[in-house]
Amino acid sequence: MPAYAVIGGQWGDEGKGKVIDYLAGESDCVVRYAGGNNAGHTVVNERGEFQLHLVPSGICWPGVTGIIGNGVVVNPDVLLGEMAGLQQQGIDTDRLFVSDRAHVIMPYHILLDELQEKARGSGAIGTTGQGIGPAYVDKASRDGIRVGDLLDTSEQLPDRVQAAVEMKNRVITGVYGGEPVDADEILARCHAWAEQLRPLVRPTEQMVQDLLEQDKRVLLEGAQGTLLDVDHGSYPYVTSSSPSIGGAITGLGINPQSIKGVLGVFKAYSTRVGGGPMPTEMHGRAGEDLREKAHEYGTTTGRARRVGWFDAVAARYSHQINGFTGMVLTRLDILDGMDDVKICVGYRVGDREVERFPANTALLEECEPVYEGLPGWKEPTASATRADQLPANALAYVRRIEELVGCEAQIISTGPSREETIAINRVMH
Ligand code: GDP
Ligand code: IMO
Ligand code: MG
C-alpha cells in the first residue's frame, strides 16, 4: 500500500493537523518528517481538542502507529511532556516511535535561537524560539547529537557534549554576550532523556519501509508550509527545514515511488506568523476584523497571525514545487457572510507584471497584488458535510481557486472538527 503526503501549501497553519486526523482513520501509520516543536497542529474530534507539536496528528486513532522520522528535530522535554498530556486526556501513546537518526534540540540551541533573534534587531525572522534553526545548523555542520547518540553507552556522548558546549559557549558569551551553559548539567539531562526515550527509539526508516512492503497505508505529515521551505520559501524569512515533498523523502528514508498522493493543504485565505513578505496581507481594520473573526493566533506562540486574501500566484508556485495530486481547502466557513471575496491572480511592481513567485525577497516585498473580486455568500458553509450544501457562490469561489492553482479540491473543510469535512473525491485508494 502506498504513502500519501499531506503538505502545507502556504505559510503554515493551513489545518494540516485536522486533515491528518480526518485521514488517519483510514491509515495504519502517520509519520512526521520535518520541523520540530515549532509546529502546532490542532486536532478536534469526539475525544477532545488537542494541540500537537511533535506527536503525529493520527494519535487519537487507537490502531494507528505514530512515527517521528529522522528529518525532525526533537526536544525530548517537549516530546515527553506532550505524551504525558495526551495520556492525561485519555490518549494511548504506546504506538509512538522516534527515529534514532533524529537530531536533538539541546538547551544551547534554544538559547542561541533567542540570542540570534535579538541580534538581528529589526531584521528578526520572528522564529518560534524553540531552537529549530540552531539544531538544523548543527546537523548540517555535523556537530549535532542524535536521539540514538543519547542511548549510546560507550564513552562518546560525554566527550561530544563537552566539545559542543565548549564551542557554543564561545559563541554565546563572545559573540552575543550571553550566559554560558553548563556541560555537566546538560549531560545529566541527556542521561535522563535516554532512559525515558529508550522504549520509543527505533530505526524508523526501516519501520516505514516494512509497513509499505506489508501493504500498510502510511500518511506523511508535513509541518510548516512550502513558502517557509529553506530552499523554496521566502528566504531568509523561512524555517530551517524542507516542509515540501523533498523533505518527506529525505526526512523519512523512503523512496519516491512509494508516494502515491501528495495533498496540498490551503486555507481559503492566507495567514503568516513572523516576518517576511506577504503580498496579500490586509492591513488596518479589514485585517483586524478577519483576524478576530477567524481567531488567527499561533498555536505554538500565541502570536497574532498576519492575514490576507488567497494568493493564487503563491499557491500555483507551491503546486509546482510539490506536484499536488489534490488540494484540501480549509476554513472556507471563515469567509461566510462577506459581501465579496478576493483572490490574488497576479503580482505587479509599478507597471511591470511579475508572473511567478520570485526568489528575490526584496522583489516579493515590492509586489502589489492584482485582485479578482467574486461575490460573497450569506448562507453558511460552516459544518457542511456535502458539496451540495454549499452556497453557489462559495462553490464558485472554490472552483476559481482550483482553476487558478491548477489542482482539484479533494477535500473541503468547513470547521475545526473531524466531521466538519466535505470529501469530494476519495483521496486514498
Ligand atoms: P496546522 O499547523 O496546519 O495543523 O494548523 P493549526 O492547527 O496551527 O491552525 C489551524 C486552525 O484552524 C486550528 O485552530 C484548527 O482547529 C482550525 N481549523 C482547521 N480547519 C478548519 C476549518 O475548516 N474551519 C475552521 N473554522 N477552523 C478550522
Ligand atoms: P505549523 O506546522 C506557521 C515560522 C515562524 C517564523 C519562521 C521561522 O503549525 O504549520 P522557526 O522557529 O521555524 O525557526 O521560525 O517560520 N513557522 C511557522 N509558522 N506554522 C508553523 O508550523 C511554523 N513553524 C515555523 O513563525 O516566521
Ligand atoms: Mg500550526
Side-chain angles (χ1 to χ4, degrees):
M1 199 77 83
Y4 294 86
V6 174
I7 293 181
Q10 296 157 313
W11 280 286
D13 301 328
E14 299 89 348
K16 299 174 292 293
K18 148 135 195 193
V19 175
I20 290 279
D21 173 64
Y22 173 75
L23 294 174
E26 286 184 73
S27 311
D28 300 285
C29 179
V30 179
V31 203
R32 272 281 304 271
Y33 60 80
N37 62 304
N38 47 351
H41 295 181
T42 314
V43 165
V44 183
N45 54 40
E46 78 287 352
R47 305 186 71 180
E49 174 164 346
F50 306 89
Q51 308 290 348
L52 301 163
H53 300 285
L54 276 168
V55 173
S57 301
I59 195 75
C60 293
W61 292 93
V64 174
T65 300
I67 291 180
I68 298 173
N70 60 276
V72 176
V73 285
V74 177
N75 178 329
D77 287 332
V78 171
L79 175 58
L80 294 163
E82 197 168 311
M83 287 170 66
L86 285 165
Q87 285 156 16
Q88 272 173 11
Q89 284 182 278
I91 305 294
D92 189 3
T93 58
D94 285 354
R95 298 168 74 100
L96 179 65
F97 302 98
V98 56
S99 169
D100 52 358
R101 293 174 185 267
H103 279 247
V104 179
I105 299 182
M106 301 293 268
Y108 46 78
H109 291 138
I110 300 170
L111 180 57
L112 278 167
D113 195 358
E114 183 194 322
L115 293 169
Q116 286 166 352
E117 277 289 86
K118 265 195 201 137
R120 287 184 186 115
S122 61
I125 293 164
T127 73
T128 58
Q130 303 297 332
I132 306 295
Y136 278 114
V137 165
D138 274 4
K139 173 177 178 173
S141 68
R142 292 147 296 176
D143 293 314
I145 309 276
R146 299 187 297 175
V147 168
D149 301 332
L150 296 176
L151 309 191
D152 187 357
T153 47
S154 71
E155 277 308 294
Q156 283 189 17
L157 183 65
D159 291 348
R160 294 198 43 215
V161 170
Q162 190 73 43
V165 168
E166 259 173 46
M167 294 269 277
K168 299 300 168 191
N169 276 343
R170 276 198 241 169
V171 178
I172 289 168
T173 59
V175 177
Y176 298 109
E179 288 295 313
V181 294
D182 184 75
D184 291 339
E185 209 176 284
I186 291 177
L187 192 59
R189 282 173 85 172
C190 288
H191 289 320
W193 289 334
E195 289 325 303
Q196 291 168 287
L197 291 179
R198 196 178 296 279
L200 278 65
V201 181
R202 294 283 189 286
T204 55
E205 66 286 354
Q206 289 172 24
M207 281 180 80
V208 179
Q209 287 158 8
D210 289 350
L211 285 166
L212 289 168
E213 266 173 35
Q214 292 158 23
D215 253 12
K216 303 288 186 197
R217 202 178 267 158
V218 179
L219 275 184
L220 316 182
E221 177 174 355
Q224 290 78 55
T226 302
L227 305 177
L228 289 172
D229 188 290
V230 68
D231 283 283
H232 305 294
S234 45
Y235 193 89
Y237 298 98
V238 292
T239 191
S240 300
S241 66
S242 304
S244 51
I245 189 66
I249 293 159
T250 55
L252 294 178
I254 60 171
N255 71 55
Q257 282 91 343
S258 58
I259 302 179
K260 191 164 173 199
V262 185
L263 275 184
V265 187
F266 292 87
K267 265 183 197 170
Y269 51 97
S270 303
T271 62
R272 174 163 205 172
V273 205
M278 179 180 179
T280 64
E281 182 167 11
M282 282 183 205
H283 298 279
R285 189 62 202 264
E288 276 164 36
D289 286 352
L290 180 57
R291 178 163 41 250
E292 288 315 310
K293 182 175 182 204
H295 195 72
E296 286 291 359
Y297 292 92
T299 312
T300 299
T301 57
R303 288 180 294 176
R305 293 176 182 149
R306 299 154 65 192
V307 297
W309 293 112
F310 189 88
D311 184 341
V313 180
R316 194 160 53 233
Y317 168 76
S318 183
H319 175 38
Q320 283 159 352
I321 299 286
N322 292 291
F324 293 133
T325 53
M327 184 183 349
V328 181
L329 202 64
T330 66
R331 294 194 141 234
L332 185 63
D333 52 297
I334 297 297
L335 302 181
D336 288 354
M338 290 190 167
D339 292 332
D340 40 44
V341 286
K342 288 184 196 171
I343 304 176
C344 167
V345 295
Y347 295 156
R348 192 169 284 148
V349 174
D351 49 14
R352 186 163 63 91
E353 270 182 32
V354 178
E355 291 202 346
R356 290 185 154 217
F357 191 79
N360 183 323
T361 303
L363 177 61
L364 186 58
E365 239 5 305
E366 281 180 56
C367 284
E368 292 290 335
V370 178
Y371 285 120
E372 184 176 297
L374 281 87
W377 51 93
K378 292 290 170 209
E379 314 83 345
T381 68
S383 304
T385 53
R386 294 193 326 265
D388 62 15
Q389 294 169 328
L390 296 180
N393 286 352
L395 204 55
Y397 179 71
V398 175
R399 295 285 171 252
R400 186 63 183 133
I401 286 179
E402 288 179 320
E403 227 168 67
L404 289 164
V405 179
C407 184
E408 276 181 23
Q410 293 188 329
I411 295 174
I412 298 173
S413 173
T414 57
S417 311
R418 187 188 285 164
E419 67 277 6
E420 293 173 302
T421 308
I422 301 173
I424 301 210
N425 283 322
R426 208 175 145 73
V427 170
M428 301 191 289
H429 303 280

